[in-house]
Amino acid sequence: MTTTTTGRTTPKGAVGTAHTRVEGRAKVTGAARYSGEIPFAGLAHGWLVLSTVARGRIRAVETGPVLAMPGVVAVLHHGNAPRVETDYVGMLGIPDPTAAVFQHDRVPHVGWPVALVVAETPEQAREAAESLVVTYDEEPHDVALAADRPDAYPADGVMPGVAEKGDLAAELAASAHVVDAEYGTPEEHHSMMEPHAATARWDGGRLEVVDSNQGATWVQGELAKMFSLDESAVRVRSEHIGGGFGSKGVRVHQVSAVMAATVLQRPVRVVLTRRQMFSLTGYRSPTLQRVRLGADADGRLRALEHRSLSQTSTVHEFVEPSAGVARVMYDAAAHRTVNDVVRLDVPSPTFMRAPGEAPGSFALESALDELAERTGFDPIELRLRNEPETGPVSGLPFSGRNLAACFREGARRFGWADRDPRPRLRREGRWLVGTGTAAASFHAGALPSTALVTAEADGTFTVRIAAADIGTGARTALTLVAADALETTPDRVRVHIGDSDFGPSGIAGGSMGTRSWAWAVNAAAAELRERLALGAGIPPQGITVRSDTTEALMSLTQKERHSFGAQFAEVAVDPATGEVRVRRMLGIFAAGRIVNPLTARNQLLGGMAWGISMALHEEAVRDQSFGGHYGPDLAGYHVATHADVPRLEADWVDDPDPDDPVGIKGIGEIGVVGAAAAIAGAVWHATGVRHRHLPIRPDRVIEAGGHA
């Protein structure tokens, strides 16, 4: 590659060039069929019935009247459903028992699945499900998350629950400047466009599930364990997916569809409604976070404490690891981070885009802004003064940490140098205007994967890998990677994904998808190219190479591997109404080698738009009296729309990972990290008032003193 005048490299192959989605035409013309649209002969439709109480036992399920209704063929519940296995460890650990439906009469939260009504049409199934009478022995429930919960405890989750070094009290006492503040983020939901849908059928003694998920081999393995089947006896297909963001794993719709298909010996489809998704498909837990920072007079941190409390269900422990972001971003002589959790009568939370980092960065980066105000340092300068040389907790070297380059390029393009740091000075008519910034990071990992690459008789190549394109453009990225590895052009490569029959592969999650799959595709394609070169003159058709990256990943040297970024935001606040408008945002990222600039920019902009949504709109409110949500739909749960998304810009600096064969890190989640903190900082700059709890609603702006 050669370097351009802007410091970016000019690609010589397919990787790094903008390429429209290879499946784009199929999607816009309707030729691409999603899981709820694929026809099957003899298809029956299942409709879930959910509990209306938050805690108790099912006393009775009155199936008789419903079975007599037109088209109804079965009602499954805890008294007659097939038994499933739950005592196992799957790809992501111990499974959430919520997916193992109808196994007992206990009800642990509102919206717990208590029955599945199966009928000939979806309309018949819905009418019958809404007519089913279920009675309960109700018990007192508890859904209140509070900072002073005595039953909260540190929990490990995807990382150790507690990490600490040094004498925190001593370093705080010796600090010239101390920030001690509490921050909060609300319950948030994935709200992807396509609801969860799955069709199950038995074909010649083999179970086939057509699904919308983030990992076909993941779902295959879980279903095989649940139903005590060999994995080869289960096939999962998931070709087109209308968004996932962490929620499309193993859920009640797949398991209940398999149960019904097993009982009825015919295909059964279960599609979740938008309201059902609020209790059945996971969410981001609300968090209550406390950050304490102590710094010298020169702005260098002596003490850093970040504690985060999240909630989980009584049946499954899931930890939102919000304090984990501090273990990567900033060092101090005394460093303590804790992820606490409390069990409540609520549904189980799950991974949601940038789990931990998104809410954690809001608290940590907001606290850094408060420290900048106390010390008199520019917010960017303060962050750069606290750049660690190695992992603050791990002590490991970074595979690359170009955060400083992101801030410098972002500041130049955003016009940061022209900013008067004093708050509440800039007015434009009735609007108060302010700007803010924040840092971002997200782990760059990879999962073992296999890939098949075949040389066809017509001179083209076919790639098969059980990848999942949840809207990221993964098909297109893998096409470009394969083309370069094969030393051919993208139009001669066909990529097939989303089928567990292609072999085990990593999931679309944790910003690891493209990196994991590209590694496997690159390895198989490179070996195929070598074999074709050695066999010059021999017809190449039919030669297939299979790769497996397990050994390569196991041999990697331990390092801190992350993508980084700098977020910038400008907001206008109406002091009379409390309305906050984001006028413009800029994100500059160091996220490895960018495979496809077109779809990569879309991913980054999408994350930043979600940051606007997180900062100003998203908030699922739970009614304490009955344990369920107010307005569990897209009318009651507000997300950012086009009217809320102004001028957004996303770009990147060169940052290839030297340990990755393609140089990839990951971009799926870094775009949302830090965005809410940058917006909150801009609101402070505009109004002079700190908002430590999201979302920044108009009533909160006015109550906090944002009025003129």
Side-chain angles (χ1 to χ4, degrees), residues 58 154 217 264 292 297 331 388 435 524 542 594 706:
I58 302 169
T217 53
L264 298 173
R292 291 199 291 173
D331 200 0
T435 53
I594 301 302

Side-chain angles (χ1 to χ4, degrees), residues 98-416:
T98 305
V101 288
F102 318 138
Q103 299 300 291
H104 52 76
D105 64 354
R106 291 291 311 173
V107 173
H109 61 76
V110 168
W112 177 263
V114 296
L116 179 78
V117 177
V118 186
E120 299 292 346
T121 70
E123 293 80 9
Q124 290 171 330
R126 179 171 188 168
E127 182 181 5
E130 292 175 349
S131 301
L132 183 67
V133 175
V134 181
T135 55
Y136 306 91
D137 291 323
E138 191 171 358
E139 301 169 5
H141 64 266
D142 181 2
V143 298
L145 182 68
D148 58 353
R149 295 278 314 207
D151 50 346
Y153 60 93
D156 291 346
V158 297
M159 63 178 64
V162 180
E164 56 188 332
K165 66 178 184 180
D167 188 331
L168 188 70
E171 293 296 339
L172 284 170
S175 296
H177 304 281
V178 174
V179 169
D180 185 347
E182 295 183 354
Y183 304 87
T185 61
E187 182 177 321
E188 300 173 69
H189 287 259
H190 301 81
S191 301
M192 75 296 295
M193 291 181 67
E194 179 204 21
H196 298 61
T199 304
R201 67 170 182 165
W202 289 91
D203 184 12
R206 193 181 191 211
L207 175 63
E208 181 180 27
V209 176
V210 178
D211 189 24
S212 176
N213 63 54
Q214 294 178 229
T217 53
W218 174 26
V219 176
Q220 174 202 33
E222 299 283 331
L223 291 178
K225 291 180 177 69
M226 278 190 180
F227 289 92
S228 301
L229 300 168
D230 190 275
E231 287 192 4
S232 63
V234 181
R235 182 187 186 189
V236 176
R237 293 190 290 130
S238 181
E239 186 176 2
H240 295 288
I241 305 155
F245 307 122
S247 79
K248 284 188 174 173
V250 181
R251 301 288 176 194
V252 298
H253 63 295
Q254 300 123 324
V255 178
S256 60
V258 173
M259 286 180 172
T262 302
V263 170
L264 298 173
Q265 287 299 298
R266 61 185 288 189
V268 176
R269 173 172 295 155
V270 178
V271 180
L272 301 185
T273 67
R274 182 67 60 181
R275 281 179 167 258
Q276 289 174 341
M277 287 163 58
F278 273 77
S279 60
L280 293 180
T281 62
Y283 57 96
R284 196 194 307 279
S285 167
T287 68
L288 296 172
Q289 303 178 57
R290 184 185 182 187
V291 179
R292 291 199 291 173
L293 303 176
D296 286 335
D298 63 0
R300 288 184 171 83
L301 291 171
R302 299 187 61 139
L304 187 159
E305 183 184 36
H306 189 173
R307 297 189 67 107
S308 177
L309 173 65
S310 62
Q311 70 186 30
T312 191
S313 69
T314 59
V315 298
H316 181 66
E317 182 183 88
F318 180 88
V319 184
E320 182 72 24
S322 301
V325 66
R327 301 176 188 179
V328 174
M329 292 305 298
Y330 307 107
D331 200 0
H335 201 286
R336 177 176 170 80
T337 51
V338 181
N339 289 309
D340 288 321
V341 70
V342 63
R343 292 182 179 271
L344 299 174
D345 300 315
V346 297
S348 300
T350 192
F351 301 99
M352 184 168 168
R353 196 176 196 175
E357 276 83 356
S361 67
F362 166 67
L364 181 63
E365 293 299 309
S366 295
L368 260 292
D369 265 10
E370 297 199 39
L371 183 62
E373 182 189 1
R374 299 271 182 92
T375 60
F377 284 104
D378 176 85
I380 294 177
E381 174 61 23
L382 180 70
R383 287 168 170 85
L384 296 182
R385 280 173 176 256
N386 286 285
E387 272 288 273
E389 294 183 3
T390 59
V393 173
S394 69
L396 295 172
F398 288 97
S399 64
R401 185 180 170 107
N402 290 335
L403 178 59
C406 295
F407 268 121
R408 292 188 179 108
E409 176 64 12
R412 182 187 67 80
R413 291 174 56 166
F414 194 74
W416 188 261

